[in-house]
Amino acid sequence: MATTGLHRSRHDRMIAGVIGGIAQHNGWNSTLLRVIFVLVSIMSAAFPGILVYLIAWLVMPEEGT
C-alpha cells in the first residue's frame, strides 16, 4: 500500500530507513530493493551509491515528522 509523500521508514530500516521508505512508498519488497541497490552500487565502484544514499538520508524526512 503506497502512502502519500516519500519518507524514511522507522520500522523497516537497516541503517537510516531510506531504502525501506522508498520500498514502502512504491509498494515494493524492501529486501529485494536493498539487494538491487547494493549490486548497482558495487557495479558502479560503490561511491555513487553511497553518495546517493547519504544525500537521500539528509533530504528525506523521517516517517511521522
Side-chain angles (χ1 to χ4, degrees):
M1 180 172 141
T3 60
T4 59
L6 188 59
H7 60 271
R8 292 184 289 129
S9 176
R10 284 188 180 196
H11 306 289
D12 188 12
R13 63 172 47 194
M14 296 295 284
I15 298 174
V18 172
I19 302 294
I22 292 170
Q24 184 179 8
H25 178 75
N26 292 305
W28 299 337
N29 182 333
S30 61
T31 303
L32 180 60
L33 188 59
R34 285 184 184 102
V35 170
I36 291 169
F37 183 80
V38 168
L39 289 175
V40 169
S41 294
I42 290 171
M43 298 277 203
S44 63
F47 179 74
I50 293 169
L51 185 62
V52 168
Y53 192 90
L54 290 174
I55 291 170
W57 188 353
L58 293 172
V59 173
M60 289 173 61
E62 191 168 18
E63 181 179 26
T65 57

